[in-house]
Amino acid sequence: MTGENLISAYVSDAELDAEATVRPKRLSEFIAQDRVRDQLELLLHGAMRRGSPPDHILLSGPPGLGKTSLANIVAAELGAGIRVTSGPAIERSGDLAAILTSLAEGDVLFIDEIHRIAKPAEELLYSAMEDFRVDVVVGKGPGATAIPLDVEPFTLVGATTRSGLLTGPMRDRFGFVAHLDFYAPADLETLLKRSARILGVPITDEGAAEVAGRSRGTPRIANRLLRRVRDFAEVRADGVVTLETARAALTVYDVDALGLDRLDRAVLTALVDSFRGGPVGLSTLAVAVGEQPDTVEEVCEPFLVRAGLLARTPRGRVATEAAWHHLGRNPPNGIFGTDAPPVPDLFSAQTDQP
């Protein structure tokens, strides 16, 4: 490409608007998650008919599946304003009290990663959710007094990627709890076609299917890969995302046919080549790939386990037969055979008698 064709490194306002509109604005635009969508529709429309705010909503599930989008959709469907914050940002109960008392009637308060909210703020949230009232403590020591403040009726939408870390009292105060599941490739293909239409990216059915198949069942990853494939198509092809263009682009960006990236393959390669498939401890495996143990455990392992490429055992991490074949290697004889004796673990009962 010649220098004359490069106009600016910055996008125009129209392009920025297009990027923002990739998120769905209404329930009718939200793709897949049919059960959650239907339940939310009943909840919101029932509340609107009664003329009262709907029950508080808890959305759980892995990152990138649309929890933030659903929170904004709730506000849009209700025709209400929305305040956005996150659990780690609320360190003191006074921070939360300031947010709650500034809400207008019917507003939506969205707290992302709500399981990380500070304990004093969580306890203040209890009375706000149930009684729409907060008690602000003024002063210290024996002279401290609690001033009750009324809060306008509002709807709390909490999002969490680790619902097991929520306390029981917090979870019980949500009137509607929904879990978002990973998307099927067909649903991601539909989502990609919608995003491509909004972004003005010509894409074929085969190209959309190829990108969808490598997106790990996650809309956020699908949209991210679409933008990278768009770059490749505009710079090194004719601008159309075809099957061949998508494959070539994703090869450049180190995304293989199953959606594994460089770090995922490094983990599997270390398991297979350095440790003959395992079992190997998490810390040892992390050192082998040059990453922190929590990075391997939280970033790589969830997808590798879900894809059937890695197994967690009491003795350590083990590469499955599918992992060996995915790397183009043959597993050692007898390890994965159906006639191989089971390997005892820490939970195996000792039944042999002397």
Side-chain angles (χ1 to χ4, degrees), residues 156-171:
L156 172 65
V157 179
T160 177
T161 55
R162 306 183 69 179
S163 59
L165 295 183
L166 281 174
T167 62
M170 170 64 79
R171 190 183 300 109

Side-chain angles (χ1 to χ4, degrees), residues 4-15:
E4 292 79 2
N5 293 329
L6 296 177
I7 300 175
S8 172
Y10 301 97
V11 298
S12 63
D13 292 340
E15 289 174 320

Side-chain angles (χ1 to χ4, degrees), residues 248-264:
L250 295 173
T251 299
V252 169
Y253 290 109
D254 289 328
V255 180
D256 68 15
L258 291 183
L260 273 61
D261 59 18
R262 179 203 61 81
L263 184 56
D264 297 324

